[in-house]
Amino acid sequence: LTQLYGPLNYLGTLYFAIQQSFVDMENMFDLFEVNAEIVDRSNAPEIVLSKGRVEFRDVIFQYMSEKVTLKGISFSVDPGQTIALVGPSGAGKSTIIRLLFRFYDIQSGQILIDGQDIKTVTQFSLRSHIGVVPQDTVLFNEDIQYNIRYGNPLQDDAAVVEAARHADIHERILTFPQRYQTKVGERGLKVSGGEKQRVAIARTILKSPEIILLDEATSSLDTQTERNIQNSLLDVCQGRTTIIVAHRLSTIIHADSILVLKEGSIVERGRHSDLLALGGVYSSMWAEQQRGLGEGEGGGDAADPP
Ligand code: ATP
C-alpha cells in the first residue's frame, strides 16, 4: 500500500496542478464570474478530438440581462483554418470565445467541436484542447520558467526553453538577472506588455492545443514588437484551428474568413478582399483604420511600456 501511495499522491498533486492551471486560464481570460451552474452531465464522456473543426449552429445566447447578446450565430471553422471576429465594441465577439470555452450554456442552438456538442462532454477535457492567448496576460509572482510551464505543468525544462525560443522570448530571458529563475510579476521583475504576450504564446506552444482562441490586445505595441509577436503567433497558429477577436484589421487580412458582428448578428462574412469589394461595414472600418494610421506619429501605436 505504501508503494502505491507515493505515485497516487503524486498523481493527485499533478491533477490538482493541471486543474489549477485551467482555473487560472479562466481568470486570465477576464471571466471572474465563472458560472457555477455549468456542470458536467453525469457520466459525461471526454471530448474526442480529431482535427479541431468548430461549428456554431444558430446559437442564441443572453447573459442574465434581458438583452439578447447573440441572435442566431452560425459559422464553421475547418481544421487548421483561421477565422477572425471583428465589429464594434459590445457586438458579441468575446462572448463567442467564452461560449466555446463553455463558460456559459447557450439558450438554443449548438456548439460543436469535431461533431460533438460541447455541453455533452466534460469541461475539463474540452478546455484541455483549447489554448487561449488573452488580451492581457497575468504573470504570477513566480519565476519565468514557472510562468511559461503554466501552459502544461507536465512539460520538462527543455520543453519550456524550446517554447520560449518559438515565442521569441528566450534571448530576452537570458538577459534577466537569474535567467529562467528570475521572479516576475508585480513583486518581481517588471516585464513589458509585449513580453507578457510572448509568455502567453510560449504557454500556448507548450500546451499544444488543437484549437487556439486569440483575443488581440486593444492597446497596440510599437511596430517592431507587434511584427515580432505577429510572427510568433503565425508560427503557433500554423495548422491549428484559430479564432481571433481582432481590433486591428491589418493583422487579419490573411484570415481564411472574417465575420463582421454587429449587435449580436453576423452582418458580413468573407475574406478581406471580398469584404472590401462589398463596400459595407467592414470596408468603412478598414477605411477608418487606414485614416487613423495616416494621422499623427506611428498611427496611434503606443510605445511598449518599459
Ligand atoms: P469589445 O470589442 O468591447 O470587447 P465584444 O464585441 O467582445 O466587445 P462582448 O464582450 O461579447 O462584446 O459583449 C457583448 C454584449 O454582452 C455587450 O452588450 C456586453 O455589455 C454584454 N455582456 C458582456 N459580458 C456580460 C456579462 N458578464 N453579463 C451581462 N452582460 C454582458
Side-chain angles (χ1 to χ4, degrees):
L1 190 71
T2 4
Q3 273 179 327
L4 246 182
Y5 182 73
L8 275 182
N9 191 27
Y10 171 72
L11 278 178
T13 314
L14 210 58
Y15 180 74
F16 176 76
I18 297 169
Q19 202 173 37
Q20 188 60 35
S21 97
F22 292 119
V23 171
D24 285 311
M25 279 269 189
E26 293 165 15
N27 288 344
M28 283 191 285
F29 210 8
D30 193 20
L31 288 151
F32 297 103
E33 70 306 26
V34 173
N35 195 341
E37 285 165 26
I38 306 295
V39 284
D40 291 346
R41 289 181 177 176
S42 59
N43 300 321
E46 296 201 338
I47 194 166
V48 180
L49 261 275
S50 52
K51 289 184 177 149
R53 182 176 192 276
V54 172
E55 185 177 357
F56 272 54
R57 270 191 206 159
D58 206 14
V59 170
I60 297 180
F61 173 73
Q62 68 186 86
Y63 291 97
M64 293 309 199
S65 58
E66 277 139 47
K67 211 181 88 199
V68 181
T69 300
L70 297 181
K71 304 171 182 165
I73 297 288
S74 298
F75 66 89
S76 61
V77 198
D78 282 334
Q81 294 223 312
T82 296
I83 199 167
L85 307 175
V86 304
S89 178
K93 307 181 293 290
S94 308
T95 303
I96 289 184
I97 283 196
R98 286 174 201 147
L99 292 181
L100 195 50
F101 220 62
R102 203 176 163 213
F103 280 116
Y104 303 93
D105 275 334
I106 55 181
Q107 274 81 23
S108 89
Q110 275 187 308
I111 300 175
L112 306 153
I113 294 181
D114 285 336
Q116 297 146 89
D117 189 324
I118 62 167
K119 74 175 182 232
T120 64
V121 296
T122 65
Q123 293 168 69
F124 184 78
S125 68
L126 168 72
R127 291 171 190 179
S128 70
H129 293 284
I130 302 178
V132 181
V133 182
Q135 280 208 17
D136 295 302
T137 300
V138 176
L139 292 189
F140 305 104
N141 293 310
E142 300 283 349
D143 66 27
I144 189 83
Q145 187 179 51
Y146 175 96
N147 269 283
I148 294 175
R149 208 194 311 271
Y150 237 88
N152 183 347
L154 298 177
Q155 294 280 9
D156 63 14
D157 294 358
V160 169
V161 171
E162 192 54 28
R165 276 188 207 280
H166 270 102
D168 195 24
I169 194 174
H170 171 72
E171 299 295 329
R172 178 78 186 107
I173 293 171
L174 294 186
T175 69
F176 291 171
Q178 276 99 37
R179 299 174 160 215
Y180 277 84
Q181 273 68 49
T182 309
K183 255 197 148 191
V184 293
E186 275 172 24
R187 277 179 269 131
L189 185 79
K190 293 269 175 291
V191 299
S192 71
E195 285 158 2
K196 278 199 240 175
Q197 244 181 334
R198 271 175 278 184
V199 170
I201 295 169
R203 280 175 182 162
T204 309
I205 292 170
L206 216 51
K207 187 169 177 180
S208 194
E210 288 85 350
I211 298 165
I212 294 186
L213 308 179
L214 195 64
D215 205 350
E216 189 184 69
T218 32
S219 56
S220 51
L221 307 163
D222 71 78
T223 324
Q224 188 54 45
T225 309
E226 183 87 68
R227 214 165 284 148
N228 291 346
I229 288 179
Q230 281 304 323
N231 287 338
S232 314
L233 280 175
L234 276 181
D235 212 29
V236 61
C237 297
Q238 189 70 37
R240 301 173 202 271
T241 310
T242 307
I243 301 183
I244 308 179
V245 170
H247 300 284
R248 281 181 301 287
L249 304 183
S250 56
T251 60
I252 48 130
I253 52 180
H254 300 299
D256 297 298
S257 181
I258 299 168
L259 305 183
V260 184
L261 273 117
K262 208 175 164 187
E263 295 170 10
S265 300
I266 298 173
V267 291
E268 290 172 11
R269 72 175 84 202
R271 296 184 74 103
H272 174 74
S273 51
D274 306 331
L275 295 177
L276 283 189
L278 198 65
V281 180
Y282 183 85
S283 84
S284 338
M285 284 170 65
W286 176 258
E288 200 176 312
Q289 292 202 356
Q290 292 303 103
R291 266 200 302 280
L293 284 174
E295 286 163 13
E297 267 182 55
D301 276 354
D304 205 5

